[in-house]
Every structure is written in C-alpha cells, then in structure tokens.
C-alpha cells in the first residue's frame, strides 16, 4: 500500500448473481487529486464506491482507503472520509440548523464556519425545513453536512444529479475550496463532463464494469486523436487499427478515435481509407463519448504512464 | 486583462489561459512589470482546478511571457524573443493560413488584406517597430 494513494484497489470484482457488475478493477486515486469517475448508468460506479466504503463485500479482490482495508474500517477511519450517496437524503421535518446539530453530535470534528459558508453558497436559509428546499439546495445541505466534518477524503456519488446551473456552480466552487491546499482528495462520480473538465485533474472511466481509463486529464487528452476517413463499404478492416477506441459515421464518412497513435496507427488508417485521412481536433467530451459508446470490448486501455 | 474560459471546446482550459495571457501581453493590455492574479485567485475566479492554472503559468514562465518572483507572485516579463526565427515564422504562418483561406473565401484582394493588417498592427503597437 502506497501512502501517497488515498484509494487503491486490486482486482476488485463484484458479481450480483451471475452478473459481473465490477470486473477486476485496479484503480489508484493519489492523495491531493480531484478524480472524476465517469461511466454510463449501470457501469458499476456506485457499486465500486459502496465497496470502497466497506458497505458491500467484493466477490474477489481488495481495496484500501486512506491506508485501511475497506472491509475493516473502524468508526475513527470513517470519520476521516466524507461520503454522500446519490439523491441527498435528508429528514424533511428538520430545519437546516437542526440537521447541523444532529450531524455534529456524531462526529469528532465539526467546522461550523465551513458549514455556514457552504450553506450560504447554495443560497439556503438555515431556519428552513429541508422539505421546502430545492433539489440543488438539498445537495448543498448534504454537502455542507459532509464537509463540516473536515474529511481528508471526499467520495461523492453523482452529487450534481439534477442540479440547476447556479447550484452546479456553487458545487464546483465548494469542491475547489475544499481541496484548496492540495492535501485533501476528492473522488466523485458524475455525468457532467464540462464540470469534470473544470474541477478534476484526473479521470477514471468505467465501461461495463471495467476500468478503461485511469490517468490525468491532460494525459487523457494528449493521448487521444481522431481522423475522418472514407471507408470502403462493408469492411471490417477498421478493427485492425492499433489502439482503436471507437468509429462512428459522420456525414457519409467515418470518424475514428484512437488512443496513443503512432506511425503504425497512422499508416494503418491511411491504408484503410480511400481518401487522405483528415486529422480532427478531439474535445474532452468527444474523447469520453468515444470510450462510452464502444460497440465491442477492445484493448485500448489507457492508464497513467510511468505511474 | 479579463480571462474567460469555456470547457467543452477542442482547446483545453489550460491552453485557453495560456493563449489569452499571451494575447493580452502581445496587445499591450498589460504592461511589463504588471502583476497577474495568483494561481489560487485565478483558479477561484474561473472556477477551475488550481493545477490547471499552475500549469498554464509554468508554461508562460518557461516561454518568457511571465516571470515569477519568489513570495511576490507572477509578473509580466520584459519582452524577449525566445523563439528561433524559424519557430517564429512557423507560428506566424500557422495563423496566416487561416487568414488567407478566409480572405479568399470572402473574395478579398491581397492589397485590401495587407492594408487592414498594417492598420491593425499599427493600432496595437504605438512604439516604433
């Protein structure tokens, strides 16, 4: 176990009955990073987070969180981790202030100015009952309740689900504020790629239970390229391109997205295409969607180099 | 100097910050010796990860656009040509290519293009060239 990793998993696997939901996950989250966990619904993100938190037993493999095995977390270990589940559950009959008192009593540390500041950012009146709050404000309360415990590691399961643009901005600001100083770690699952591009410095991308990408945001973008080509009809030649992530039609032509292209890749693409391949820019969203819309299980795994 | 970034484009946020500061310096919107926002402040203003800003500043320092003074922050550096002539030409030709194709598509004569280019350069650089 490396002490510079906040989270590490080795071959983490979960079956529900005969269905593999998480398959042989080797995920590393360095301390001080903000990691966006991406994947379609059902890719295994929530199951992974639940195993990390020791709330679900893996079928095989293991994980450590802040240096402790997930299955043997003591209350004092859990107090160092902030975990919010999808949906931001709160007791509707409590006021925001009562929520704070309720939570404060069960944690060793409580940062009331952090709570007040987060609640203020989301435009919440602390005397309001939580049942009258908007979805974005409930997310704000739930985040404030977690951040005030001053966790070293924050694990957020889709915190931005259904948030309006103002709440999303408040969420992003709060997360960046929280990790100001570089010693705290965040792992958050989300579908909002623009927000990931802003706040994250690493991404982990899951597809059908497998981890396909685990690297820095810059590395991810630098190592993916795309070309527009003209394919002869009914060919399977495209599958011979080394590092192919995805190919899809675009206005009668084909756009191929590849990881780690080298001369061999470019030669293969030029060989297949009936015209000169045209290199096209790839946005972060393009790159993620290329991975998420793969039609087959390929090999182009992308993990941090030299890590 | 106002920096604005937008995620979702083909340019990374880090590249957008580098380009905008470069452009502001080139257009004399900031003067030599002016301070620029700290990494933390700019990250806060733009709502982006501080590492992104730090990386952009590191490149600007390496390229001689900014200089960092220990404990005081980042400042606009005295302008020096840190690129070779060949590299400067390559960078110029890069942008000229798109100007030329646009000008041809819009049916402009080369004299008109040159004239407007001269006017713009003179407007931006009050000093003798």
């Amino acid at each position: 176990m490396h002490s510079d990793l906040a989270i590490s998993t080795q071959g983490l696997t979960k079956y529900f009955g005969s269905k593999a939901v998480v398959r042989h996950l080797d995920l590393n989250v360095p301390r001080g990073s903000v990691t966006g966990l991406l994947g379609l619904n059902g890719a295994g993100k929530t199951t992974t987070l639940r195993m990390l938190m020791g709330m679900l037993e893996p079928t095989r493999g293991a994980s450590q969180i802040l240096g402790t095995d997930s299955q043997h977390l003591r209350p004092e270990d859990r107090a160092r981790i902030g975990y919010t589940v999808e949906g931001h559950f709160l007791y509707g009959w409590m006021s925001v202030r009562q929520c704070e008192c309720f939570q404060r009593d069960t944690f060793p540390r409580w940062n009331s100015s952090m709570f007040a500041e987060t609640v203020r950012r989301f435009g919440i009146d602390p005397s309001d009952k939580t049942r009258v709050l908007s979805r974005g404000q409930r997310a704000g309360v739930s985040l404030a309740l977690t951040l005030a415990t001053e966790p070293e590691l924050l694990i957020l399961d889709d915190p931005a689900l259904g948030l309006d643009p103002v709440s999303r901005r408040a969420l992003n600001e709060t997360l960046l504020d929280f990790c100001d100083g570089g010693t705290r770690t965040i792992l958050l699952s989300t579908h909002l790629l623009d927000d990931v591009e802003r706040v994250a410095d690493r991404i982990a991308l899951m597809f059908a239970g497998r981890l396909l990408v685990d690297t820095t945001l810059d590395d991810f973008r630098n190592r993916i390229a795309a070309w527009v080509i003209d394919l002869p009809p009914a060919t399977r030649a495209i599958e011979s391109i080394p590092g192919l992530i995805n190919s899809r039609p675009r206005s009668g032509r084909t756009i191929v997205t590849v990881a780690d292209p080298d001369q061999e890749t470019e030669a293969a693409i030029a060989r297949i295409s009936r015209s000169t391949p045209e290199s096209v820019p790839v946005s972060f969203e393009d790159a993620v969607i290329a991975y998420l819309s793969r039609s087959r299980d390929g090999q182009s795994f992308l993990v941090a180099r030299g890590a | 100097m106002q920096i604005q970034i937008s995620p979702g484009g083909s340019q990374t946020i880090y590249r957008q910050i580098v380009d905008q500061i470069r452009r502001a310096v080139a257009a004399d919107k900031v003067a030599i010796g002016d301070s620029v926002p700290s990494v933390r402040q700019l990250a806060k203003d733009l709502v982006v990860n501080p590492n992104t800003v730090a990386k952009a500043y590191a490149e600007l320092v390496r390229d001689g656009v900014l200089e960092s003074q220990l404990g005081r922050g980042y400042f606009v550096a005295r302008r020096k040509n840190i690129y070779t002539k060949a590299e400067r030409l390559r960078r110029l030709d890069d942008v000229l290519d798109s100007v030329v194709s646009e000008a041809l598509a819009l049916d402009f004569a080369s004299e008109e293009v040159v004239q407007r280019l001269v006017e713009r350069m003179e407007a931006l650089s009050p000093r003798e060239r």
Side-chain angles (χ1 to χ4, degrees), chain A residues 225-253:
Chain A
W227 283 268
V228 174
I229 60 174
D230 288 296
L231 276 185
T235 176
R236 290 177 63 83
I238 201 154
E239 293 178 15
S240 68
I241 299 173
L244 179 74
I245 301 166
N246 166 282
S247 72
R248 59 186 188 281
R250 183 198 263 188
S251 354
R253 307 177 74 194

Side-chain angles (χ1 to χ4, degrees), chain B residues 1-3 17 21 30 34-46 53-54 57 60 66-67 72-76:
Chain B
M1 176 179 60
Q2 282 303 314
I3 299 173
I17 296 172
I21 293 182
V30 281
D34 277 2
S35 68
V36 294
S38 69
V39 168
R40 281 179 60 183
Q41 187 58 49
L42 188 59
K44 223 181 197 27
D45 293 348
L46 300 178
V53 179
Y57 278 17
L60 289 164
L66 298 182
E67 54 192 14
R72 292 189 56 220
Y74 291 87
F75 299 85
V76 177

Side-chain angles (χ1 to χ4, degrees), chain A residues 48-122:
Chain A
T48 301
L49 298 184
R50 287 174 57 81
M51 284 193 283
L52 291 177
M53 290 303 297
M55 303 169 82
L56 198 62
E57 209 177 321
T59 310
R60 280 195 299 276
S63 63
Q64 298 84 39
I65 185 161
L66 295 179
T68 306
D69 189 292
S70 295
Q71 298 303 309
H72 300 105
L73 290 173
R74 298 159 302 172
E76 55 266 42
D77 299 319
R78 289 185 189 280
R80 295 160 62 203
I81 306 166
Y83 172 56
T84 72
V85 297
E86 202 179 301
H88 305 297
F89 178 81
L90 298 168
Y91 294 108
W93 51 268
M94 281 188 184
S95 71
V96 173
R97 203 171 278 124
Q98 285 170 323
C99 288
E100 183 184 7
C101 296
F102 184 63
Q103 180 97 335
R104 187 174 56 201
D105 288 348
T106 54
F107 279 86
R109 282 187 305 278
W110 192 260
N111 184 336
S112 49
S113 62
M114 175 68 111
F115 184 86
E117 170 63 14
T118 307
V119 162
R120 187 198 58 77
R121 259 205 189 109
F122 282 81

Side-chain angles (χ1 to χ4, degrees), chain B residues 52-113:
Chain B
T52 307
V53 179
K55 193 179 163 206
Y57 278 17
E59 178 171 321
L60 289 164
V61 167
R62 199 184 62 226
D63 288 355
V65 177
L66 298 182
E67 54 192 14
S68 85
Q69 294 179 10
L70 209 64
R72 292 189 56 220
Y74 291 87
F75 299 85
V76 177
R78 191 170 298 283
R79 201 172 312 183
K80 29 184 194 266
N81 272 321
I82 50 120
Y83 295 124
T84 61
K85 177 82 179 191
E87 175 62 11
R88 287 168 59 217
L89 277 175
R90 192 194 63 76
R91 284 173 178 251
L92 181 63
D93 287 345
D94 260 7
V95 288
L96 283 182
D97 281 346
S98 62
V99 173
V100 168
S101 57
E102 195 72 4
L104 289 174
L106 294 171
D107 220 9
F108 279 106
S110 54
E111 294 78 28
E112 284 177 279
V113 177

